[in-house]
Amino acid sequence: MTTKEQDLAPAITLLDAQYVEAQKVANGKLVTLNAIREAAGLPPRAPGIEGQGSEGGPVLTQIKRDTFYGKKQMTAMREYLDMRRVQGDGPATPREILDALKAGGYKFEAKSDDIALVSLRALLRKATNVFHKLPGTNSYGLLSWYPNAKPTKEEGTGGGLARRKPKSTESKSKRRGRPPNPKGQPASGALKDDNGD
């Protein structure tokens, strides 16, 4: 053992012991946390310091020039919102999402930022199984953050599309106030007179 190793040995031993103790405490808290998450219908939290993303994997906490480069738009948007959640920032406006994706290297195929923003807003509104607009705001989070959330008026239950009423089994003639056309009668609805003409 070198002199340097001898000098640092007490500090290493002390920190090793403190680390083991802290790990035991963290594991105990993780067991409790996962029991509560299970009761709430959420997936268990994996061990580790970093937060978990909506897909269960670790969340990046800093945007680098290539963070979103080559990724699909929806994936990049989800990852950015997960980052905000871990940092305690929560939901984001469409403009904040656009700016973050650009800073992270995502290449929009639109001719301008305004057109890209329109496209991004449309994706946020239509993908109601992934994104959730907070009522009364212009901010979106992930639907998985709000398991008891009800769709907003904008979102509706069908992804923003109006649902058609089911077709009635009632015949057109009944809806028009006429008796149904019996078999053998002309399709025009003209009835034969008593002479057979």
Side-chain angles (χ1 to χ4, degrees), residues 21 50 52 64 78 106 113 115 162 166 179 195:
E21 188 59 34
E50 286 188 337
Q52 262 186 305
K64 297 178 183 171
R78 269 198 314 250
Y106 182 81
D113 283 357
I115 295 170
N195 298 337

Side-chain angles (χ1 to χ4, degrees), residues 91-94 132-141 154:
T93 65
H132 179 72
K133 183 175 183 184
L134 275 74
T137 71
N138 188 30
S139 297
Y140 289 82
E154 228 177 70

Side-chain angles (χ1 to χ4, degrees), residues 13 28 35 42 58-59 67 70 83 102 105 128 132 139 145 158 187 189 194 197:
T13 304
L42 298 171
V59 176
T67 301
M83 276 185 190
K102 282 181 62 181
T128 57
H132 179 72
S139 297
W145 299 351
D194 292 329
D197 297 328

Side-chain angles (χ1 to χ4, degrees), residues 13-83:
T13 304
L14 176 64
L15 287 172
D16 273 343
Q18 288 176 345
Y19 175 78
V20 169
E21 188 59 34
Q23 193 66 46
K24 287 179 185 175
V25 171
N27 288 341
K29 288 184 178 183
L30 182 61
V31 168
T32 305
L33 172 63
N34 282 339
I36 294 169
R37 289 178 66 88
E38 183 180 352
L42 298 171
R45 167 83 158 78
I49 301 297
E50 286 188 337
Q52 262 186 305
S54 60
E55 300 299 307
V59 176
L60 299 172
T61 55
Q62 184 180 13
I63 297 175
K64 297 178 183 171
R65 290 181 186 165
D66 64 346
T67 301
F68 305 119
Y69 180 73
K71 294 186 178 179
K72 293 188 176 187
Q73 186 174 355
M74 189 176 290
T75 301
M77 291 164 66
R78 269 198 314 250
E79 287 181 5
Y80 172 63
L81 288 172
D82 277 333
M83 276 185 190

Side-chain angles (χ1 to χ4, degrees), residues 136-160:
T137 71
N138 188 30
S139 297
Y140 289 82
L142 295 175
L143 183 62
S144 61
W145 299 351
Y146 313 106
N148 298 322
K150 293 181 180 175
T152 61
K153 283 183 183 179
E154 228 177 70
E155 291 172 347
T157 54

